[in-house]
Coordinates of all heavy atoms in Angstrom, one line a residue:
N17 N 1.4 8.3 1.8 CA 1.8 9.6 1.4 C 2.9 10.1 2.4 O 3.2 9.5 3.4 CB 0.6 10.5 1.4 CG -0.1 10.7 2.7 OD1 0.5 10.3 3.7 ND2 -1.2 11.3 2.7
M21 N 0.2 8.5 6.4 CA -1.1 7.9 6.4 C -1.3 7.2 5.0 O -0.9 7.6 4.0 CB -2.2 8.9 6.6 CG -2.1 9.5 8.0 SD -3.2 10.8 8.5 CE -4.5 10.9 7.4
F35 N -20.2 14.0 6.6 CA -21.3 13.7 7.5 C -21.4 14.7 8.7 O -22.5 15.1 9.1 CB -21.3 12.3 7.9 CG -21.8 11.4 6.8 CD1 -21.0 10.3 6.4 CD2 -23.0 11.6 6.1 CE1 -21.4 9.4 5.4 CE2 -23.4 10.7 5.1 CZ -22.6 9.6 4.8
V37 N -20.3 17.8 8.8 CA -20.8 19.1 8.3 C -22.3 19.0 8.0 O -23.1 20.0 8.3 CB -20.0 19.5 7.0 CG1 -20.7 20.7 6.3 CG2 -18.6 19.9 7.4
S39 N -24.5 17.1 9.4 CA -25.3 17.1 10.7 C -25.3 18.4 11.3 O -26.3 18.8 11.9 CB -24.7 16.0 11.6 OG -23.4 16.4 12.0
A65 N -55.4 34.2 25.0 CA -55.6 35.1 26.2 C -56.4 36.3 25.8 O -57.3 36.7 26.6 CB -54.3 35.5 26.8
I68 N -60.1 35.3 25.3 CA -60.8 35.2 26.6 C -61.1 36.5 27.3 O -62.1 36.8 27.8 CB -59.9 34.3 27.6 CG1 -59.9 32.9 27.1 CG2 -60.4 34.4 29.0 CD1 -58.9 32.0 27.8
D70 N -61.6 39.3 25.6 CA -62.7 39.8 24.8 C -64.0 39.2 25.3 O -65.0 40.0 25.4 CB -62.5 39.5 23.3 CG -63.5 40.1 22.5 OD1 -64.0 41.2 22.8 OD2 -63.9 39.5 21.4
M71 N -64.1 38.0 25.5 CA -65.3 37.3 26.0 C -65.7 37.9 27.3 O -66.9 38.3 27.5 CB -65.1 35.8 26.1 CG -65.0 35.1 24.8 SD -65.0 33.3 25.1 CE -64.1 32.8 23.7
S74 N -67.2 41.3 27.1 CA -68.4 41.4 26.3 C -69.6 40.8 26.9 O -70.8 41.0 26.5 CB -68.2 40.8 24.9 OG -67.2 41.4 24.2
D88 N -81.9 37.9 22.8 CA -82.1 39.2 23.2 C -81.1 40.2 22.8 O -81.1 41.4 23.2 CB -82.3 39.3 24.8 CG -81.0 38.9 25.5 OD1 -80.0 38.4 24.9 OD2 -81.0 39.1 26.7
Q110 N -54.1 25.8 11.4 CA -52.7 26.2 11.3 C -51.8 25.1 11.7 O -50.8 24.8 11.1 CB -52.5 27.4 12.2 CG -53.0 28.7 11.7 CD -52.7 29.9 12.6 OE1 -52.2 29.7 13.7 NE2 -53.0 31.1 12.2
N117 N -45.7 22.0 6.5 CA -44.8 23.1 6.1 C -44.4 23.9 7.3 O -44.9 25.0 7.5 CB -45.5 24.0 5.0 CG -44.5 25.0 4.4 OD1 -43.3 24.9 4.7 ND2 -45.1 25.9 3.7
A120 N -43.6 27.8 7.4 CA -44.7 28.8 7.4 C -45.0 29.3 8.7 O -45.9 30.2 8.9 CB -45.9 28.3 6.7
P122 N -43.6 31.4 10.9 CA -43.6 32.9 11.1 C -44.8 33.6 10.5 O -45.3 34.6 11.1 CB -42.3 33.3 10.4 CG -41.4 32.1 10.4 CD -42.4 31.0 10.2
W123 N -45.3 33.1 9.4 CA -46.5 33.7 8.7 C -47.7 33.5 9.6 O -48.5 34.4 9.8 CB -46.7 33.2 7.3 CG -45.6 33.6 6.4 CD1 -44.5 32.8 6.0 CD2 -45.4 34.9 5.8 NE1 -43.7 33.5 5.2 CE2 -44.2 34.8 5.0 CE3 -46.2 36.0 5.8 CZ2 -43.8 35.9 4.3 CZ3 -45.7 37.1 5.0 CH2 -44.5 37.0 4.3
A125 N -47.7 32.8 12.8 CA -47.6 33.6 14.0 C -48.0 35.1 13.8 O -48.6 35.7 14.6 CB -46.2 33.5 14.5
L134 N -56.2 43.1 16.8 CA -57.5 43.5 16.4 C -58.5 43.2 17.6 O -59.3 44.1 17.9 CB -58.0 42.9 15.1 CG -57.3 43.4 13.9 CD1 -57.7 42.6 12.7 CD2 -57.6 44.9 13.7
V139 N -61.3 44.7 23.1 CA -61.3 44.6 24.6 C -61.1 46.0 25.2 O -61.8 46.4 26.1 CB -60.1 43.7 25.0 CG1 -60.0 43.7 26.5 CG2 -60.4 42.3 24.5

Side-chain angles (χ1 to χ4, degrees):
N17 65 8
M21 294 178 16
F35 283 126
V37 168
S39 66
I68 291 169
D70 182 37
M71 288 183 208
S74 299
D88 65 350
Q110 285 179 355
N117 187 9
W123 294 99
L134 288 173
V139 172

